């Protein structure tokens, strides 16, 4: 972290390098920026820094009053496989640049200074959000995002659901005896990880390292999330990790035992998460990002009344937007599906740090 701040001390234009893990000015910006999420929070940045060792900094523009008026957190990802580059922010569904309200900074000004900095340091940058206006950045619609507006009256939210079978699934899960536990202890993360490993194997996707998942307990201790676990006859049959910054409840990870999907545990799990959000002052439920070609998952999220919108990523400095895609990814997926779960865990342990 300190090395990153030193490396980026000489930024172009009016950009300044801030330590978002320790500098209160960054947290002050988060409180004034409408677009801030849990993925901008110092606790999330610290989890990434502590587990993967990435140097973390934030490139910011000060306002006329001396307070930060705009900024973006960055992780320096060193890799002999994919090349050293910057990501805003690894393992985050989205991480758009922040602008304090009322608006006092032109987004194009931040984009131009960021582009100049990438050129000066000869580093590519991936911004998981839109930052147009530099002339050097490439903005691509990589994913879609789903958000559901929440209200104190949970029944008003239920009325937004677009398909009646959503609540039929909830009713079936309850009728069959499925129950939901909301937990914040590390044992709950251990239980989640067991299901997570099996689910990732079925999907052909590497499993995040166990230590990283267990590290979410530090977020939970700070009141920034929880695990919801669906149980049936003494067994964990589905689970999900939700994060919150006090305004937005974000679905981060989900896992299921496929033998019990007919009981509709995920319907009940999301319904109880929505109920918790309504009762605890959350303004929206972010269902997370989804690949364009994952029609089934997009449809599932939309049935809850969530609004689908494009999620754009911005690339500077010749960043290779195809990293982690293509033939190698398909071959790895096939291998993971046809080998023991430990293989997917090994792949995740070895390669996630290189791709972010």
């Amino acid at each position: 972290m300190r090395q990153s701040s030193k490396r980026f001390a000489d930024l172009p234009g009016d950009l300044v390098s801030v330590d978002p893990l320790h500098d209160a000015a960054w947290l002050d910006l988060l409180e004034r920026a409408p677009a801030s999420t849990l993925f901008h929070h110092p606790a999330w940045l610290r989890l990434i820094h502590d587990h993967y060792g990435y140097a973390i900094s934030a490139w910011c523009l000060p306002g006329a009053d001396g307070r930060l008026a705009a900024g973006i957190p960055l992780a320096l990802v060193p890799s002999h496989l994919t090349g050293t580059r910057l990501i805003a922010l690894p393992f985050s569904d989205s991480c758009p640049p922040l602008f304090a309200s009322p608006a006092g900074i032109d987004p194009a000004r931040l984009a131009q200074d960021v582009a100049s900095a990438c050129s000066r340091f000869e580093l590519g940058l991936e911004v998981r959000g839109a930052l147009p206006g530099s002339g050097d950045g490439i903005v691509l619609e990589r994913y879609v995002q789903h958000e559901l507006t929440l209200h104190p009256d949970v029944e008003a939210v239920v009325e937004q659901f677009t398909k009646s079978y959503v609540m039929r699934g909830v009713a079936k899960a309850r009728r069959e005896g499925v129950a939901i536990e909301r937990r914040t202890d590390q044992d709950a993360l251990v239980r989640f990880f067991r299901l997570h490993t099996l689910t990732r194997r079925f999907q052909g996707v590497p499993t995040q390292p166990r230590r990283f998942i267990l590290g979410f307990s530090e977020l939970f201790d700070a009141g920034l999330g929880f695990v919801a676990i669906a149980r049936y006859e003494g067994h964990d049959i589905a689970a999900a990790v939700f994060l919150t910054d006090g305004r937005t409840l974000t679905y981060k990870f989900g896992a299921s035992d496929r033998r019990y999907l007919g009981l509709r545990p995920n319907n009940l799990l999301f319904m109880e998460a929505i109920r918790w959000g309504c009762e605890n002052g959350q303004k929206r439920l972010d269902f997370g990002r989804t690949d364009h070609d994952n029609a089934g998952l997009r449809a599932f999220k939309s049935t809850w009344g969530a609004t689908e919108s494009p999620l754009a990523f911005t690339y500077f400095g010749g960043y290779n937007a195809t990293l982690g895609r293509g033939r190698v990814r398909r071959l790895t997926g096939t291998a993971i599906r046809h080998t023991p779960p430990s293989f997917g865990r090994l792949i995740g342990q070895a390669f996630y740090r290189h791709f972010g």
Side-chain angles (χ1 to χ4, degrees):
M1 174 60 227
R2 306 299 181 185
Q3 293 177 353
S4 178
S5 297
K6 183 177 180 180
R7 175 172 183 173
F8 298 131
D10 184 24
L11 290 169
D14 295 322
L15 278 181
V16 294
S17 181
V18 171
D19 177 351
L21 299 186
H22 304 96
D23 195 328
W26 176 253
L27 197 56
D28 176 61
L29 174 60
L30 265 60
E31 293 172 351
R32 294 179 291 118
S36 68
T37 71
L38 188 283
F39 297 122
H40 297 91
H41 196 283
W44 177 253
L45 304 182
R46 189 171 296 109
L47 174 64
I48 294 172
H49 169 72
D50 289 349
H51 179 75
Y52 285 102
Y54 300 146
I56 306 289
S57 61
W59 292 354
C60 303
L61 289 173
D65 60 358
R67 301 167 77 186
L68 299 181
I72 184 168
L74 304 168
L76 181 65
V77 180
S79 173
H80 60 277
L81 293 179
T82 57
T84 298
R85 64 213 190 280
L86 295 162
I87 302 179
L89 203 63
F91 311 111
S92 306
D93 291 9
S94 65
C95 191
L98 299 181
F99 298 90
S101 180
I105 296 291
D106 181 355
R109 180 181 162 198
L110 179 63
Q112 290 161 6
D113 284 352
V114 165
S116 296
C118 290
S119 177
R120 174 175 296 182
F121 298 118
E122 298 183 340
L123 289 171
L125 165 64
E126 175 186 302
V127 178
R128 296 184 176 176
L131 184 56
S134 73
D136 297 317
I138 299 172
V139 182
L140 301 176
E141 291 186 2
R142 289 286 301 270
Y143 303 93
V144 295
Q145 195 167 18
H146 292 79
E147 284 195 353
L148 172 66
T149 301
L150 302 181
H151 308 282
D153 181 4
V154 67
E155 294 306 320
V157 178
V158 171
E159 291 177 359
Q160 300 179 63
F161 299 169
T162 61
K163 299 292 183 181
S164 60
Y165 60 73
V166 171
M167 289 307 293
R168 289 202 301 269
V170 172
K172 179 176 183 178
R174 287 175 174 155
R175 189 170 59 249
E176 295 288 346
V178 178
I180 304 297
E181 294 181 1
R182 191 180 68 83
R183 303 278 295 270
T184 58
D185 57 288
Q186 193 165 81
D187 180 64
L189 285 164
V190 171
R191 292 160 60 187
F192 166 79
F193 187 76
R194 183 185 66 81
L195 288 171
H196 183 58
T197 300
L198 297 176
T199 300
R200 301 289 260 194
R201 177 178 183 263
F202 176 81
Q203 295 171 336
V205 179
T207 305
Q208 282 278 10
R210 185 175 185 269
R211 178 170 165 264
F212 178 69
I213 296 296
L214 297 187
F216 278 63
S217 62
E218 296 183 14
L219 298 178
F220 299 166
D221 289 345
L224 299 174
F226 57 85
V227 178
I229 302 176
R231 290 181 58 78
Y232 174 72
E233 295 185 345
H235 301 286
D236 296 337
I237 63 173
V241 173
F242 290 91
L243 303 176
T244 178
D245 65 349
R247 296 171 296 184
T248 301
L249 183 62
T250 300
Y251 168 65
K252 180 55 180 165
F253 292 122
S256 305
D257 186 329
R258 298 188 60 80
R259 296 173 298 175
Y260 297 95
L261 289 180
L263 300 178
R264 300 293 186 264
N266 289 305
N267 287 56
L268 184 57
L269 190 152
F270 273 98
M271 184 65 246
E272 290 307 308
I274 289 170
R275 185 181 305 281
W276 182 90
C278 292
E279 293 174 351
N280 287 272
Q282 307 297 297
K283 304 302 182 184
R284 64 193 68 84
L285 170 60
D286 180 355
F287 282 85
R289 76 186 189 205
T290 310
D291 286 324
H292 276 287
D293 57 0
N294 194 335
L297 185 55
R298 291 173 67 177
F300 174 78
K301 293 178 178 180
S302 294
T303 59
W304 294 88
T307 300
E308 180 180 291
S309 58
L311 178 57
F313 281 20
T314 308
Y315 300 90
F316 294 94
Y319 190 104
N320 182 2
T322 65
L323 283 174
R325 293 174 172 260
R327 184 169 179 269
V328 173
R329 180 181 179 182
R330 292 192 296 272
L331 290 174
T332 301
T334 299
I336 290 173
R337 282 189 289 268
H338 292 86
T339 53
S342 57
F343 179 74
R345 291 179 60 177
L346 181 63
I347 292 296
Q349 184 71 42
F351 292 105
Y352 263 122
R353 68 177 60 253
H354 297 282
F355 291 92

